[in-house]
């Protein structure tokens, strides 16, 4: 496997792009081969040597243009059923090791860097996808910030305890899974009540951070964006920041979200029975397959409840069409989702926002079927 030539400050944009493309492909191949030694050598080579300024710039480029795109490709290939769950986990672990290698390679260049401040980076409780938060952490460190990185699934009470022990200029909360939005909302308001401003990031917070804005948090689309927002300054909340969720989301007063969440177990149980009656192939499923089907229905109800929480049917529709694509890639006809929607619509007939989201999802799923997906 040929190693690309080191990039120099004089390299043209085309030369840098070509080198990045080559290194990305090599890193991908190393990830698929579980070849951590070669992967670490690749990213260390990409960082290279030179002045502190050159090393810091190369380190950031390696994080954002090599490691991040390879991790995104891992997710895409898993969704397409082109790689296994085990391969996805192994590749993610390898990419995390590469992030550490980049941080180590750039450490000496940070020795005399002035710092604009200190921030705390944490994943929302229940959020195991920590690599995006780690990438933000390392980019901010490369730009001079002192960062307390707390890692994956940090319970809100432990996050607050940390803030009391270690004063910080801001909390950066990361979440990739929209189902964690209610938990994220609690974390945001609790941090603000403790007098600490919050910036949210990650796919969970929706296009252009729409859900972060609903929850009165700042938002940034990526690591450089987080740096820009921090440099502009975040206003420190006052004691008035302590509030109940329905002050940010007045629709919660109708109790639909609470009731859907409280009845989730019964909704899933009845939906499984209804799907078995309407989708005959399910009757011949193994016990393992039935358990996975129940898990899928559980996820559907969870996302429906989350859509009700933020009052956005698009959240549920996006999840359901993504689920249809996942099923299709694994040989399960997406039409098997229709009986689930039928059952939930029948069970939730008195919940207008929930049934509205279900109807929108049915329309989207039918459009996929007409397009040849189902």
């Amino acid at each position: 496997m040929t190693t690309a030539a080191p990039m120099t400050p004089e390299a043209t944009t085309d030369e840098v792009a070509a080198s990045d493309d080559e290194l990305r492909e090599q890193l991908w191949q190393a990830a698929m081969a579980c070849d951590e030694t070669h992967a670490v050598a690749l990213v260390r080579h990409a960082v290279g040597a030179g002045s502190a300024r050159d090393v810091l710039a190369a380190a950031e480029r390696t994080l954002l243009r090599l490691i991040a795109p390879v991790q995104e490709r891992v997710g895409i290939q898993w969704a397409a059923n082109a790689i296994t769950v085990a391969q996805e986990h192994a590749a993610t672990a390898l990419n995390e090791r590469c992030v550490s290698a980049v941080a180590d390679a750039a450490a000496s260049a940070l020795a005399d860097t002035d710092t604009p401040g200190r921030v705390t980076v944490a994943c929302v409780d229940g959020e195991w996808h920590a690599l995006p938060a780690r990438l933000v952490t390392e980019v901010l460190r490369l730009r001079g910030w002192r960062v307390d990185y707390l890692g994956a699934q940090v319970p809100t009470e432990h996050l607050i305890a940390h803030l009391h022990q270690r004063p910080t200029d801001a909390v950066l909360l990361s979440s990739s899974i929209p189902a964690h939005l209610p938990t994220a909302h609690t974390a945001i308001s609790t941090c603000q009540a403790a007098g600490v401003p919050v910036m949210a990031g990650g796919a969970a917070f929706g296009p252009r951070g729409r859900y972060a804005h609903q929850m009165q948090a700042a938002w940034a689309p990526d690591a450089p964006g987080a740096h820009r927002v921090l440099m502009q300054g975040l206003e420190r909340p006052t004691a008035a920041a302590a509030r109940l969720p329905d002050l940010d989301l007045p629709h919660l007063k109708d109790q639909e979200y609470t009731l859907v969440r409280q009845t989730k177990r019964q909704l899933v149980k009845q939906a499984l029975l209804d799907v078995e009656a309407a989708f005959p192939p399910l009757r011949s499923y193994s016990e393992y397959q039935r358990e996975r089907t129940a898990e899928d229905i559980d996820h559907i109800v969870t996302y429906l409840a989350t859509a009700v929480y933020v009052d956005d049917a698009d959240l549920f529709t996006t999840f359901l069409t993504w689920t249809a694509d996942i099923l299709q890639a694994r040989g399960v006809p997406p039409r098997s989702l229709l009986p689930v929607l039928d059952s939930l619509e029948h069970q939730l007939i008195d919940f207008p926002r929930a049934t509205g989201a279900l109807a929108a999802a049915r329309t989207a799923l039918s459009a996929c079927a007409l397009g040849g997906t189902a």
Side-chain angles (χ1 to χ4, degrees), residues 14-145:
D14 288 344
E15 288 170 340
V16 170
S19 298
D20 285 349
D21 287 343
E22 184 178 356
L23 285 173
R24 272 194 295 270
E25 183 58 30
Q26 291 183 39
L27 185 56
W28 169 258
Q29 295 298 332
M32 292 299 97
C34 298
D35 190 347
E36 181 178 306
T37 300
H38 186 59
V40 169
L42 279 172
V43 298
R44 284 186 173 276
H45 171 76
V47 174
S51 69
R53 182 177 179 180
D54 289 343
V55 168
L56 295 177
E60 181 170 324
R61 186 171 60 243
T62 301
L63 292 171
L64 298 181
R65 298 188 187 177
L66 269 61
I67 298 174
V70 167
Q71 184 62 27
E72 182 178 9
R73 185 175 174 183
V74 169
I76 292 170
Q77 292 297 298
W78 170 82
N81 204 29
I83 63 174
T84 66
V85 172
Q87 286 176 302
E88 182 269 329
H89 284 189
T92 299
L94 181 143
N95 281 329
E96 290 172 343
R97 176 67 182 89
C98 286
V99 172
S100 296
V102 171
D104 291 344
S108 60
L110 289 168
D112 299 321
T113 303
D114 292 333
T115 179
R118 177 184 294 278
V119 297
T120 298
V121 176
C123 292
V124 172
D125 192 7
E127 179 60 71
W128 284 100
H129 297 83
L131 190 56
R134 181 71 191 282
L135 287 168
V136 170
T137 293
E138 298 308 333
V139 169
L140 290 178
R141 283 176 176 158
L142 292 172
R143 295 191 177 203
W145 292 88

Side-chain angles (χ1 to χ4, degrees), residues 278-351:
F279 187 66
L282 181 61
R283 299 167 195 168
S284 60
Y285 277 14
S286 66
E287 187 60 30
Y288 174 82
Q289 289 174 311
R290 288 182 61 84
E291 288 175 358
R292 300 291 79 76
T293 301
E295 286 181 1
D296 289 342
I297 296 173
D298 186 277
H299 290 319
I300 289 170
V301 175
T302 297
Y303 271 82
L304 176 62
T306 306
V308 171
Y309 186 88
V310 296
D311 196 26
D312 188 357
D314 285 347
L315 186 153
F316 183 64
T317 298
T318 299
F319 169 74
L320 200 75
T321 53
W322 175 83
T323 300
D325 290 340
I326 297 292
L327 293 175
Q328 180 77 8
R330 286 152 180 76
V332 179
R335 68 177 182 275
S336 62
L337 293 170
L338 293 174
V340 181
L341 301 184
D342 290 339
S343 176
L344 294 176
E345 282 188 275
H346 178 73
Q347 295 183 72
L348 297 169
I349 192 169
D350 294 324
F351 297 82

